[in-house]
Amino acid sequence: MSKSTGQKNKTQVQWSSPSNIALVKYWGKHGQQLPRNASVSFTLSHAKTTTRITMEDMEGVAYPAVDFTFEGRQQPLFAQRTVKFINGLTDVCFPFLKGKKLTIDTQNTFPHSSGIASSASGMSALSLCLCDLEMQCNGTTIYDAAFYRKASLIARLGSGSAARSVFPGMSVWGYHKDISGSSDDYGISVADDVAPVFKNFHDDILIISDKTKSVSSTAGHQLMDNNPFAQVRYEQAEKNLTQLMIALKTGDLEILGKITEDEALTLHALMMCSNPSYILMEPASLEVINKIRKFRQKTGIPVYFTLDAGPNVHVLYPHEYVAEVKKFIREDLSQHCVNNHIVEDQVGDGPQKLV
Ligand code: PMV
């Protein structure tokens, strides 16, 4: 339901969209943001971006005039990225944006400096708003599978991992021979293919560092072009995804944990053997990883870790162990976090249309 704000030429939409955490990672791309291998992720619940766009007519502008604020303030870097993204879409995907003024305000539920990548939630929220505005201009409001597919495709052009954020629960992005409907162009939902234990799986994010990443993911993906292990990696990712999809379906926590941890360490190993090379973990990341493995061995509780392209550690575990694992995190792991900062999250229901 979009709000018509009195004047006929003014349309407002607002969406919230969550971040996601990949279990099989996307690392390496080609062409127009196409992945070298398919990936799968949990859609999160609390870590999300809310974006509102007010669109009105404006004479004499070939590209949309964008007035962008982040949490009510000017944010030149985010603004630049947003304008570049929207201008890139205007000619081919969204000609309706010509001659419009867009007032965009966006906010995150997690602090900007928390070290949590905001591109997946940010780009997916923005894409959902743009696709919604397009529908409003066409006089339709049908939020069906085709709408979400297009939003995923547009989100992918902004940030690859954002393609997976527009679906609830769990999603795959990238063509995979064993996954029906999968495509390099957009993500698909695989929420129906997972055992109940994964529907409310937990992901507590330990903020080991809140500094800006030493290498952007764009530069990181590019380094894969000359990485000597790239081809082997893409083949490994394909096999891992086949096995992981089976584990997700059967509820096999051990296989899920093994593949998830291997994937995280492989991502970091790839960065360590790129040229130039990067070490993206901090000593505290390793301490936390070792403690998680020891805790799992000692207690038999299926708690696992994964990492993005940075030092923060995602602690993954089933809902039934929430009391034991949160106690472990509080007593043994939080001391390794910046100001004991932990973002507690879990698998969520996907984006929401607010206006
Ligand atoms: O979406 P990008 O370009 O920021 O790349 C994200 C890559 C990883 O987060 C490291 C892995 C993934 O699949 O999300």
Side-chain angles (χ1 to χ4, degrees):
M1 173 186 41
S2 99
K3 197 161 83 185
S4 187
T5 53
Q7 293 165 36
K8 260 196 180 139
N9 60 354
K10 208 168 184 180
T11 312
Q12 194 173 75
V13 293
Q14 188 177 31
W15 283 79
S16 74
S17 189
S19 185
N20 68 73
I21 180 69
L23 305 182
V24 171
K25 309 285 182 184
Y26 144 64
W27 200 239
K29 62 179 172 181
H30 65 106
Q32 256 203 316
Q33 294 266 99
L34 297 167
R36 291 284 183 192
N37 64 267
S39 54
V40 64
S41 57
F42 283 131
T43 302
L44 296 179
S45 175
H46 305 308
K48 58 188 179 193
T49 299
T50 298
T51 296
R52 187 183 58 226
I53 304 187
T54 309
M55 181 173 80
E56 51 201 312
D57 291 339
M58 189 173 192
E59 275 177 30
V61 286
Y63 285 96
V66 176
D67 181 0
F68 179 91
T69 49
F70 176 72
E71 298 179 348
R73 293 165 183 214
Q74 305 292 326
Q75 241 285 2
L77 272 182
F78 287 3
Q80 246 173 26
R81 192 172 174 193
T82 306
V83 168
K84 192 169 164 220
F85 175 61
I86 293 176
N87 284 350
L89 294 168
T90 301
D91 281 331
V92 180
C93 305
F94 294 138
F96 76 94
L97 290 174
K98 289 181 182 175
K100 302 286 182 199
K101 178 181 178 210
L102 302 178
T103 306
I104 306 179
D105 186 55
T106 189
Q107 34 203 320
N108 291 340
T109 52
F110 47 93
H112 169 47
S113 61
S114 68
I116 297 181
S118 57
S119 62
S121 55
M123 283 299 171
S124 56
L126 182 59
S127 301
L128 285 155
C129 286
L130 292 171
C131 289
D132 198 354
L133 284 172
E134 182 191 34
M135 266 203 322
Q136 312 269 343
C137 283
N138 293 339
T140 49
T141 45
I142 305 169
Y143 302 96
D144 57 1
F147 170 80
Y148 286 99
R149 195 181 308 135
K150 178 156 186 183
S152 174
L153 185 150
I154 298 294
R156 179 202 105 219
L157 297 171
S159 164
S161 57
R164 298 184 308 244
S165 270
V166 306
F167 303 102
M170 185 120 227
S171 68
V172 164
W173 167 48
Y175 172 74
H176 189 283
K177 63 180 175 32
D178 299 335
I179 304 172
S180 148
S182 60
S183 165
D184 283 354
D185 293 331
Y186 45 78
I188 57 165
S189 169
V190 290
D192 293 341
D193 300 328
V194 308
V197 64
F198 298 121
K199 303 227 184 236
N200 54 359
F201 222 60
H202 286 257
D203 175 10
D204 289 347
I205 310 164
L206 308 185
I207 309 303
I208 303 291
S209 167
D210 56 6
K211 299 205 179 87
T212 315
K213 291 192 283 185
S214 54
V215 58
S216 70
S217 61
T218 307
H221 288 292
Q222 257 166 23
L223 288 172
M224 284 300 280
D225 292 346
N226 292 313
N227 187 301
F229 302 105
Q231 207 44 50
V232 187
R233 158 60 192 159
Y234 303 139
E235 286 160 23
Q236 175 205 43
E238 180 168 308
K239 287 188 193 134
N240 279 348
L241 190 49
T242 298
Q243 284 187 38
L244 193 82
M245 292 308 289
I246 297 169
L248 284 166
K249 201 169 204 152
T250 57
D252 191 328
L253 289 167
E254 214 170 303
I255 303 254
L256 176 117
K258 162 96 181 83
I259 295 173
T260 299
E261 293 192 350
D262 283 358
E263 278 284 321
L265 296 177
T266 299
L267 170 70
H268 282 255
L270 288 164
M271 289 307 287
M272 286 186 202
C273 63
S274 289
N275 186 10
S277 62
Y278 289 93
I279 299 174
L280 301 178
M281 278 190 263
E282 296 285 339
S285 316
L286 290 172
E287 284 205 49
V288 162
I289 287 171
N290 285 331
K291 283 187 175 180
I292 291 172
R293 287 185 158 173
K294 276 193 194 134
F295 176 81
R296 185 167 75 225
Q297 244 173 1
K298 199 174 93 190
T299 61
I301 293 176
V303 50
Y304 303 97
F305 69 85
T306 188
L307 307 153
D308 260 334
N312 299 332
V313 181
H314 291 243
V315 186
L316 303 171
Y317 54 95
H319 185 66
E320 71 170 293
Y321 297 106
V322 77
E324 294 93 325
V325 178
K326 286 211 188 281
K327 181 169 183 282
F328 163 57
I329 291 176
R330 207 170 44 244
E331 291 177 359
D332 291 345
L333 304 184
S334 64
Q335 61 195 274
H336 299 289
C337 304
V338 186
N339 302 324
N340 296 314
H341 189 182
I342 294 154
V343 176
E344 296 178 291
D345 215 329
Q346 69 187 110
V347 171
D349 296 336
Q352 244 190 313
K353 179 169 166 58
L354 304 172
V355 174

